[in-house]
Amino acid sequence: MTPAAALSGRRVLELADEKGLYCGKLLADMGADVIKIEPPGGDATRDIPPFWHDTPHPDHSLFFLYMNTSKRGVTLDITRPEGQVLFKQLAQTAHIIIETFEPGYLDGLGLGYRTLQEQNPGLVFTSITGFGQTGPYKSFKSSDLVANALAGTMYITGEADDPPVVLAGAQANMMASTCAAASSMIALFRSTVSGKGQQVDISVEETNVSASHVCGVGRWLDDRFIPRRMGAALLACTPSGTYPCKDGLVYLIVNRVLHWKALAQWIHEVTGNEIVLDPMFEGPSANRQPNRDLLDVYVSELTSRFTVAEMYHEGQRRHLAVTPVNTAAAVVADPHLAARNYFLAVEHPEMGSLRYPGAPYRHTETPWAISRPAPRVGEHNEEIYCGELGLAQQTLRGFVERGVI
């Protein structure tokens, strides 16, 4: 018997762009019935590359395929009066609504939280925006790059002599979505206990500032350093950074007195370097910082004589913090992830078996699972509008012809 999912029996409506797709995915993979609502013709996120076999198509975006697992999908024009009626009917059956519109937009359509909670008092209404529901920036446009810049993470990311760079992989949006999913669960628990819903206000800027304290005061309090860009290295740790091997890169960091002694001895054993054993390099990282460039040369002379695997395992044996810098292919081939069956095969009706990243967490009693692939455009229109809302087939066809659905 398959164990029940944690959110089995809970319904979520999703009106989300890149800022909130991962929130919906987290809830859907926990078993919630997440209904993704797209405008007729499909959501703009279906156009985000890369595409399956490099073929642009609304159902071939790898970003969309990943971000929308386990969801059902319908199309609906919520700017039309008929669409608003259908949305309100769906909202009465929902426990959570996720939306990413500009503050006040849904209120203007008569679909805001205050209106919907009159018919559904326990509703949790999660709004994910660039700057939140209040404040002077609330109506400003934003993006993952803007959030990175304003949160301070860009300022300390990149090479010292180059302009700041953004973190890879839309980390600002992912952080906001993760916080949105967790806070929605807290609000849902409160709703279950009290019967009272609430609006959850998620600002992408604020979630990233809260997670990037190391950019400012936190770093000063910890190490008395004012952060600045140093490529892959850390200002407080010398040596630190990426170093070349025969077949790739490793990341190495020395943060303790004994770690430096162990590394210096290893460099001496392999390269014959006598200078590296000089007592002037011993002690805390601050003692080595003036000679960071020279020490990077010594470390590189060591690492370049090994493969990544050799360097990693010997570093582990010597109790040094050495980590392979994996390519995407190496991540997919990681033996530890394979041993835990991390990557999963999901059957897609058109593309066959697709391999997906697996669970970001594991419950022993209510397992995480991908229950279905991302929906095609309007895939569940008939199932939901006719089968669950009771719309007649002829009415559905009329709505489709008029562009309401």
Side-chain angles (χ1 to χ4, degrees):
M1 183 176 177
T2 304
L7 295 180
S8 178
R10 302 289 189 170
R11 171 167 286 184
V12 179
L13 304 184
E14 179 191 288
L15 289 163
D17 60 13
E18 299 98 310
K19 294 188 291 295
L21 293 180
Y22 189 61
C23 174
K25 171 180 166 59
L26 288 171
L27 303 182
D29 292 340
M30 282 197 287
D33 175 21
V34 177
I35 300 176
K36 180 174 182 58
I37 301 174
E38 305 177 63
D43 194 272
T45 55
R46 290 180 178 275
D47 297 327
I48 295 177
F51 297 96
W52 177 249
H53 288 175
D54 285 334
T55 308
H57 184 281
D59 295 331
H60 289 187
S61 163
L62 300 185
F63 174 84
F64 188 91
L65 287 168
Y66 173 65
M67 288 292 183
N68 294 286
T69 54
S70 305
K71 302 176 187 176
R72 295 194 290 171
V74 298
T75 52
L76 186 65
D77 184 352
I78 61 171
T79 68
R80 308 273 289 273
E82 303 100 316
Q84 292 162 9
V85 171
L86 287 173
F87 182 77
K88 287 179 178 177
Q89 291 178 0
L90 284 171
Q92 289 182 37
T93 71
H95 298 90
I96 298 173
I97 291 177
I98 305 166
E99 63 94 8
T100 58
F101 291 110
E102 179 182 328
Y105 176 78
L106 289 176
D107 289 322
L109 297 177
L111 303 176
Y113 170 63
R114 294 300 172 195
T115 301
L116 298 180
Q117 64 93 33
E118 291 177 1
Q119 298 298 319
N120 186 353
L123 179 65
V124 173
F125 194 92
T126 301
S127 301
I128 307 171
T129 58
F131 301 99
Q133 298 296 302
T134 59
Y137 296 173
K138 70 174 186 179
S139 297
F140 285 7
K141 302 294 184 187
S142 187
S143 67
D144 187 85
L145 187 150
V146 170
N148 267 277
L150 290 180
T153 49
M154 267 183 69
Y155 184 76
I156 63 162
T157 305
E159 297 294 335
D161 297 330
D162 292 336
V165 297
V166 68
L167 300 177
Q171 296 300 312
N173 286 341
M174 296 292 278
M175 178 66 68
S177 262
T178 303
C179 288
S183 55
S184 297
M185 290 297 91
I186 295 168
L188 181 62
F189 176 76
R190 192 249 189 187
S191 172
T192 302
V193 172
S194 69
K196 297 178 180 178
Q198 60 185 304
Q199 185 172 19
V200 179
D201 179 4
I202 298 291
S203 155
V204 181
E205 181 192 24
E206 289 174 358
T207 54
N208 279 268
V209 171
S210 69
S212 58
H213 70 285
V214 72
C215 302
V217 175
R219 174 58 73 189
W220 172 257
L221 292 176
D222 288 346
D223 300 311
R224 294 295 188 267
F225 283 115
I226 297 175
R228 58 184 173 83
R229 292 188 300 283
M230 296 191 64
L234 297 178
L235 181 62
C237 302
T238 306
S240 63
T242 55
Y243 298 93
C245 293
K246 290 179 179 177
D247 57 350
L249 297 168
V250 291
Y251 191 89
L252 183 150
I253 183 171
V254 167
N255 199 27
R256 296 287 183 270
V257 173
L258 290 179
H259 290 165
W260 168 251
K261 282 197 167 187
L263 178 62
Q265 182 61 37
W266 190 8
I267 293 171
H268 171 67
E269 290 174 17
V270 173
T271 69
N273 187 328
E274 296 282 351
I275 300 173
V276 74
L277 298 177
D278 194 304
M280 73 175 180
F281 296 131
E282 296 181 356
S285 276
N287 293 357
R288 294 182 293 278
Q289 204 170 37
N291 296 295
R292 175 183 287 271
D293 291 343
L294 177 63
L295 295 179
D296 280 344
V297 172
Y298 294 165
V299 175
S300 296
E301 288 175 351
L302 169 70
T303 60
S304 62
R305 301 189 183 203
F306 296 93
T307 65
V308 169
E310 290 168 345
M311 189 69 200
Y312 170 54
H313 291 297
E314 181 61 16
Q316 293 283 307
R317 193 185 70 80
R318 293 174 183 255
H319 302 290
L320 289 168
V322 180
T323 306
V325 180
N326 278 344
T327 62
V331 172
V332 172
D334 187 298
H336 177 76
L337 294 176
R340 284 171 59 81
N341 297 316
Y342 175 73
F343 290 99
L344 304 171
V346 178
E347 288 298 321
H348 190 280
E350 294 180 1
M351 288 172 267
S353 181
L354 303 178
R355 198 171 181 215
Y356 277 76
Y361 44 79
R362 301 187 186 219
H363 295 167
T364 57
E365 302 301 322
T366 54
W368 176 101
I370 294 178
S371 59
R372 66 175 79 230
R376 289 163 288 171
V377 179
E379 179 178 343
H380 301 97
N381 281 348
E382 183 175 338
E383 178 178 303
I384 292 173
Y385 290 130
C386 299
E388 298 177 15
L389 293 188
L391 211 64
Q393 291 277 353
Q394 186 176 0
T395 305
L396 175 64
R397 285 195 293 273
F399 279 152
V400 171
E401 290 170 3
R402 295 200 301 278
V404 177
I405 290 176

